[in-house]
Structures are given as structure tokens and as C-alpha cells.
Amino acid sequence: MFYVYRIRGVKYPDRSNTGHREDLKQRFSDHNQGRNVSTALYRTWRLIFYLAFEKKEIALDFGRYLKPGSGKAFARKRLWKSDP
């Protein structure tokens, strides 16, 4: 399975990150252990959303869709309503 996920900072709830990975458990651990440059400063993270896909291409496309403005608006309205 391939996953698209959203994490939010525990200490910094205004910080969040959307990503995609095949091994979600390992990737989440990497974020919380500071192994990702873009999220290391805002540790600790909590997982607020994930979606599983059978095909990598579909997961990548959906993950890319969520990053720009229209995808963020869709996600705020339909996927994670409590996002600041």
C-alpha cells in the first residue's frame, strides 16, 4: 500500500505537513526523530490523517494535489476540518 498523510505539530499546532510514503509507520517515526530536515524543528508530530492507495502513481498524484492552494482548500473543507 501507498499512503498520503497529514501530520500536525504537538507543540506547534500551526505547523503541519502533508506527504506520501510506502512505509507510513517508518516515515512517521522519521518525522518524530528529526530525520526530516523540513519537519525536524517542530517535533513532536501527531498523525491527523492518512489515506491508503493500492497504486503508487495515484498516491503521488493525490499527495501533489493536496499541496497547492486548491488542494489545501479541499482538504481543509473535506479531510481535516480542524486544521488552523
Side-chain angles (χ1 to χ4, degrees):
M1 297 302 282
F2 299 90
Y3 300 92
V4 174
Y5 64 90
R6 177 84 164 179
I7 57 175
R8 181 175 299 137
V10 173
K11 295 178 187 174
Y12 305 94
D14 60 320
R15 294 292 183 166
S16 58
N17 184 280
T18 301
H20 45 80
R21 229 12 136 231
E22 185 172 357
D23 188 344
L24 178 61
K25 191 173 185 177
Q26 180 60 51
R27 185 60 170 165
F28 184 63
S29 176
D30 290 346
H31 282 296
N32 277 323
Q33 293 179 17
R35 293 188 189 131
N36 182 293
V37 174
S38 64
T39 61
L41 292 175
Y42 304 104
R43 293 182 293 173
T44 301
W45 298 94
R46 67 184 175 104
L47 184 65
I48 62 167
F49 171 85
Y50 73 91
L51 191 58
F53 296 89
E54 286 187 42
K55 295 185 178 184
K56 182 178 183 177
E57 300 79 30
I58 296 171
L60 292 174
D61 287 346
F62 190 68
R64 286 186 199 119
Y65 166 73
L66 293 176
K67 292 196 178 233
S70 61
K72 285 181 183 178
F74 166 80
R76 276 191 215 105
K77 186 174 183 179
R78 302 287 180 210
L79 303 177
W80 46 78
K81 292 184 180 199
S82 64
D83 205 14

